[in-house]
Structure formats: structure tokens, C-alpha cells
Amino acid sequence: TCQDPGMRMVTLADGVPVPCLGLGTWRMGESRSSHAADVAAVRQALELGYRLIDTAEMYGAGGAERVVGEALRGASQAGTVRREDVFLVTKVLPGNASRKGTVAACERSLDRLGVDRVDLYLLHWRGGHPLRETVAAFEALRERGRIRAWGVSNFDVDDMDELWSVADGPRCLANQVYYSASERGIEFDLLPAQRRRSVATMAYCPIDQGALASDPTLAEIGRRLGASAAQVALAWVLRQPDVIAIPKAGRERHLRENLAAAALKLTDGDLAAIDARFAPPRRKQRLAMT
Ligand code: NAP
């Protein structure tokens, strides 16, 4: 499942392999006028070989999930992919994350996506509902086969500690957080804590919402490697075996570049130059969020 022979895989704690690089969909499905172009972009990503897609009920108030569903259906009908070849991630809004609300939100997401199961279901960020309720709902959905696995997003170390203390909390397989060369605070504590617990880290905004594509230091390194600054930013995030990156791209050139970045290797010299540009954290930093 989800195997593209050229793509490195990250194995989740349940043994399921996930491509180390996928497609983000924030800001897709937000308007009727952009709907067709958004569907075309996701469809093209599937044709190019993307086998991991990240979305959320929040994006475009369900519109992004509809875009993903339409692209997936089109690509399946054309014989480009089978549903089971694509690892689908979506998220429940914290306001919906009660015991019953989570299950209902998941059913709505499945409906918009046009699938009967998502591969990974995340709590988008912490809200008012007790974690044990959300976890109980996730486990019920997993047992019913509506989700294959679950995780969280925007959880800092204290949130993870709390999660690990509730019943079934240790079944959390991933935490999706802001992580890029310019936002690397998690390296101080969260990343090592997750590593100890075999929780995969999914890096959102790995190009810092496009800003790192024009960073002079990354561009300079890229020139030596025959790569763009954005590709260097992605290769930097992916230098670690348990980190998954989900850059968003709508343009074909970006889609192609980002996919190719998964195979790009940085040297120790490149990494030192990036440390000099963006210092590694020496103390606790609060988790960055967008
Ligand atoms: P990002 O992936 O760091 O950056 C996306 C921006 O960079 C887009 O404007 C895109 O342009 C541009 N870009 C992409 N590839 C490029 C390239 N090779 N060269 C130059 N520019 C490039 O930021 P993001 O979209 O905020 O984050 C990625 C995904 O993470 C989101 O889409 C979403 O799925 C997820 N996310 C999750 C959370 C959360 O709370 N869990 C928060 C934020 C994001 P074009 O689109 O024009 O190609």
C-alpha cells in the first residue's frame, strides 16, 4: 500500500509505511472559482506520484476534503491510483472533538472525501473537550474500521505528556507540528520525546509558507546541489528518518520540485551552513503555530 518505489517511507509505530513526503491542502477548496484548479492540482499530484495527502475538515469548511475526494475519484477512474495506494490524513476541529462529536465529524469527512476509511485522523489542536473523550472516540472509530490510526496536531511536550497519561493515549501515532529550518524549536524537546515514544513527526509549513523558497543561504546550498532553495528546505526537514513533510503546492513546477526533494541528500557542510543561518534551539521554545 502507498508504495512508490522511488519514495522513502516512514514506518509508523503500527508498522504501516507512509511516504516521507506528501501534499498539504490548506487554502484549497475555499471558493467555487478555485475549485476546478484545486482539483486539477491534487489530481496532478497523484499523477506525479504523491501518495500521501493531508487535509482537514477546517480547510475551506469541508471544501478541501471535497477537492481531495474529487481528485481521488477522478484519478481512480482514470486508473492512475487505487484508493488503497493513497495515505489520507484528515483532522477533526477541537470544537467537534467530544466523544460523539468526533465520530459525527469523521463520518462527515468520510462522506466529503468519498471513502469509507481514512488512514490517519488527527485532533487539529487542543480545545476544551477532555482528551480521554477524543481518544475514546478515535479508538471506537478505529475499531469500526473508519480510521486506520489516529494522532494529534499542534501538541507541545506538556500536551503529549497528558495524552500519554490517558487510557489508550499511547496509541497516538503522529503529531503534526510546525517544523521548518526557520522554526526548529521542537528539536530541543518535542522531537526527542516523540522519538522515545515512537510518535512520528509530521512537519507542516516545511517551506515556511513559501518564505524559505527565497532564502539566500538555502539558495546558495541549492546551487551547489542543482536544487532550489525550497528543495533544500524540504531535504533539511527530511534528513531525519522519522519525520514526514507535507508541503502544499498548487503549481506543477512546485509539485515536481517538492517530490524530487525527497531524494536530495545534504552534506554535513550543508547542515552546518543551515545551523549558522538558523541556530538550533538551546532552550525550550513554545511550539510555533500558524
Ligand atoms: P508550506 O507548505 O510551507 O508552503 C506552501 C507555499 O509554498 C505555497 O504558497 C506554495 O505555492 C509555495 N511552494 C510550494 N512549493 C514550492 C517550491 N518548490 N518553490 C517555491 N514555492 C513553493 O506551507 P503550508 O501550506 O502552510 O503547510 C503545508 C501543509 O501543512 C498545509 O497545506 C496543511 O495541509 C498543513 N498544515 C497543517 C497545520 C496544522 O495546524 N496541523 C497548519 C498549517 C499547515 P503554490 O501553492 O503556489 O505552489
Side-chain angles (χ1 to χ4, degrees):
T1 56
C2 312
Q3 295 279 10
D4 164 1
M7 176 65 66
R8 183 167 64 75
M9 308 298 279
V10 173
T11 305
L12 299 182
D14 64 355
V16 173
V18 184
C20 70
L21 187 125
L23 179 72
T25 63
W26 189 22
R27 306 223 159 84
M28 288 193 185
E30 289 187 341
S31 71
R32 288 178 77 150
S33 57
S34 68
H35 181 83
D38 291 338
V39 172
V42 177
R43 181 86 187 260
Q44 181 160 52
L46 292 167
E47 280 157 14
L48 291 171
Y50 282 80
R51 293 294 178 267
L52 160 63
I53 299 179
D54 178 78
T55 189
E57 64 168 330
M58 185 189 92
Y59 303 159
E65 289 180 328
R66 280 192 206 93
V67 163
V68 171
E70 205 174 312
L72 194 56
R73 250 186 328 279
S76 306
Q77 279 159 11
T80 311
V81 288
R82 296 171 306 171
R83 159 67 191 98
E84 60 269 32
D85 294 332
V86 182
F87 192 94
L88 277 183
V89 183
T90 193
K91 314 182 192 84
V92 59
L93 278 167
N96 288 336
S98 64
R99 175 69 178 75
K100 279 190 175 153
T102 303
V103 172
C106 184
E107 292 299 335
R108 291 194 297 269
S109 288
L110 291 168
D111 195 50
R112 286 188 290 261
L113 287 162
V115 298
D116 32 62
R117 183 172 71 164
V118 290
D119 298 287
L120 186 64
Y121 197 40
L122 308 178
L123 173 59
H124 208 146
W125 66 88
R126 269 202 86 164
H129 293 290
L131 284 178
R132 65 182 146 69
E133 273 198 38
T134 312
V135 170
F138 282 161
E139 281 298 307
L141 285 165
R142 195 173 63 81
E143 276 155 24
R144 265 179 248 160
R146 304 304 268 162
I147 66 175
R148 182 140 79 164
W150 62 267
V152 293
S153 178
N154 296 301
F155 270 44
D156 207 341
V157 176
D158 51 346
D159 302 309
M160 289 309 291
D161 282 338
E162 207 179 314
L163 176 63
W164 287 323
S165 76
V166 309
D168 291 321
R171 288 185 183 271
C172 169
L173 291 193
N175 184 14
Q176 184 178 116
V177 291
Y178 197 163
Y179 182 45
S180 67
S182 43
E183 283 293 351
R184 57 188 297 191
I186 66 164
E187 290 174 7
F188 183 77
D189 54 352
L190 184 61
L191 196 53
Q194 295 189 167
R195 210 157 262 164
R196 283 194 294 276
R197 294 278 201 147
S198 300
V199 172
T201 299
M202 288 188 103
Y204 76 64
C205 302
I207 317 172
D208 220 348
Q209 302 195 274
L212 292 177
S214 53
D215 182 80
T217 303
L218 302 185
E220 171 69 37
I221 294 167
R223 268 192 291 279
R224 281 202 299 278
L225 298 167
S228 71
Q231 287 180 308
V232 174
L234 292 172
W236 182 86
V237 163
L238 296 176
R239 74 198 185 284
Q240 304 152 109
D242 51 356
V243 177
I244 297 160
I246 44 164
K248 182 262 174 186
R251 289 170 236 223
E252 178 174 358
R253 184 169 62 81
H254 293 166
L255 286 169
R256 285 184 186 277
E257 269 193 16
N258 297 351
L259 199 61
L264 186 67
K265 292 273 174 295
L266 302 176
T267 66
D268 289 346
D270 299 332
L271 296 178
I274 295 171
D275 285 348
R277 168 81 175 94
F278 302 107
R282 289 173 181 280
R283 63 185 68 82
K284 169 71 189 162
Q285 292 172 11
R286 266 185 56 202
L287 182 62
M289 284 183 207
T290 51

